[in-house]
Amino acid sequence: MRFEGLDLNLLVALDAILEERSVMGASRRLHLSQPAMSAAIGRLRQYFNDEIFTISKRKLVPTPLAQSLEKPTRDILLRIRTNLISPPKFDPANSERRFRLVVSDYASIVLMHAVMKRVYRDAPGVCLEILPFSDRVDEQLQRGEVDFVVVPASNLIHGHPSQHLFADEFCCIAWRGNRQIGRSISLRRYLQAGHITAQLGLMGGASFDERALVQLGYRRRIEVIAPNFTAMAAMVIGTNRIATMHHRLAAIFARNFPLKILRAPVRIPAFREALQWPASFHMDPALAWLREIITDVASEVDRTPAAQMRVG
């Protein structure tokens, strides 16, 4: 089909090759032969009167024009899929849809565990694929590669709708066998102790509490950088090190591990979790259904004191 002289199938080919940066990769994605994909590139070059791609070190490099076409092309295809191809109604009980969500291990335990139970009850055929954070999360959201991102409100991604989920405070955790620390911890001891912290790609290498402490002018001794919050809690056990983490998560861990919870000696701003989804999918009834479940569960979390947090 042509629209003002442009074969609309070429937009699909352009989107694939802009993402893959490879004729072979794009042809595999679209189930086309490499000659057919090369022919599509030729037709794109003819229509736009531009090379579209050049070859550098055996990789395809988009021209400035091709780069300018990347976002509008993806937006157009996403809107077509959402508004024209996707079914107008969504039947959770009979659906086998797969939803892809970017969620930290913190939100997986505090929020998503209950969400998964609710989804299983109402839509047993639905699959929830939980993905870890990466430095590509904004690109994943923009390209519609993920359906939802549970993200700190301070790191909301520009250009996409969002909704507040819940808030949390910070506390310290220590091993119960740590004799250097009793039922409380002073600021001096806090700054002298060895710390375990977590590093997340979305936050540019620093956790929320680390950035807050730096802004307040405090410098702590970080001795271990864990890949996530769960590992951070486990690594405290058997050592004299401490960790600063979300109170809701710490309360859950303290019921399952030999940990004690201490009031943080420095006031760290409240942590607020938010939900984001691709702007192009805003009217998707399936996403609206799952969004309602997530926000409903989050409101329950928000009302539940940290000391009463449980999994199950």
Side-chain angles (χ1 to χ4, degrees):
M1 179 179 178
R2 293 181 178 275
F3 180 78
E4 296 187 0
L6 173 64
D7 183 347
L8 297 183
N9 290 318
L10 293 179
L11 294 181
V12 179
L14 177 62
D15 177 67
I17 204 162
L18 279 168
E19 180 174 359
E20 300 291 340
R21 297 294 200 266
S22 162
V23 175
M24 180 182 295
S27 61
R28 287 177 178 173
R29 175 179 167 182
L30 300 180
H31 305 289
L32 295 175
S33 66
Q34 288 192 48
M37 180 57 67
S38 296
I41 294 174
R43 292 163 64 194
L44 284 166
R45 285 171 170 166
Q46 182 178 7
Y47 181 84
F48 289 106
N49 192 27
D50 185 85
E51 281 297 304
I52 302 298
F53 293 96
T54 58
I55 299 177
S56 175
K57 297 180 181 180
R58 298 184 179 181
K59 291 185 178 181
L60 296 183
V61 179
T63 63
L65 175 63
Q67 292 178 15
S68 70
L69 293 172
E70 185 168 10
K71 183 179 184 301
T73 298
R74 186 62 178 176
D75 288 346
I76 289 170
L77 295 178
L78 286 175
R79 292 183 185 281
I80 290 174
R81 191 181 90 178
T82 302
N83 299 314
L84 299 180
I85 298 176
S86 297
K89 294 183 179 180
F90 176 68
D91 180 9
N94 297 305
S95 176
E96 295 183 352
R97 179 158 173 174
R98 177 188 295 266
F99 295 92
R100 306 181 82 227
L101 303 91
V102 176
V103 184
S104 69
D105 63 318
Y106 161 71
S108 293
I109 295 172
V110 173
L111 173 69
M112 292 306 299
H113 186 271
V115 169
M116 293 174 189
K117 290 172 61 178
R118 187 87 60 89
V119 169
Y120 179 75
R121 183 192 69 190
D122 298 341
V126 160
C127 174
L128 299 181
E129 182 180 357
I130 307 300
L131 304 172
F133 276 108
S134 74
D135 293 329
R136 289 188 60 250
V137 66
D138 53 345
E139 180 182 345
Q140 290 175 307
L141 198 64
Q142 180 63 41
R143 296 184 65 83
E145 296 174 2
V146 296
D147 298 299
F148 290 105
V149 175
V150 179
V151 62
S154 58
N155 292 91
L156 286 172
I157 300 166
H158 178 71
H160 299 280
S162 64
Q163 186 165 344
H164 168 78
L165 291 178
F166 60 90
D168 204 351
E169 302 291 338
F170 281 89
C171 66
C172 296
I173 59 169
W175 176 45
R176 287 180 191 167
N178 184 346
R179 296 183 178 180
Q180 295 182 3
I181 298 175
R183 296 182 178 180
S184 62
I185 183 170
S186 67
L187 177 59
R188 179 180 178 183
R189 171 64 68 180
Y190 178 83
L191 297 176
Q192 289 177 341
H195 288 253
I196 299 176
T197 187
Q199 178 172 294
L200 300 178
L202 175 67
M203 300 180 186
S207 62
F208 180 91
D209 57 297
E210 175 64 14
R211 290 184 297 165
L213 288 168
V214 170
Q215 290 176 356
L216 291 171
Y218 296 112
R219 184 182 180 87
R220 57 184 176 176
R221 290 174 48 206
I222 296 176
E223 296 182 349
V224 178
I225 300 176
N228 51 52
F229 299 110
T230 305
M232 182 172 72
M235 290 176 179
V236 166
I237 300 171
T239 76
N240 289 329
R241 297 188 177 103
I242 62 174
T244 305
M245 67 163 45
H246 318 79
H247 197 181
R248 297 181 189 280
L249 186 61
I252 293 171
F253 284 152
R255 281 191 290 272
N256 297 279
F257 299 116
L259 297 171
K260 51 186 173 182
I261 298 176
L262 311 166
R263 183 184 297 275
V266 57
R267 178 65 177 175
I268 300 173
F271 175 84
R272 303 186 184 281
E273 200 79 289
L275 182 70
Q276 279 201 286
W277 56 95
S280 299
F281 291 175
H282 186 67
M283 300 303 294
D284 185 334
L287 294 194
W289 169 80
L290 182 55
R291 187 164 65 242
E292 182 177 358
I293 290 179
I294 294 173
T295 54
D296 186 45
V297 171
S299 67
E300 295 178 4
V301 171
D302 216 19
R303 294 192 300 267
T304 303
Q308 298 177 18
M309 288 298 299
R310 295 183 182 277
V311 173

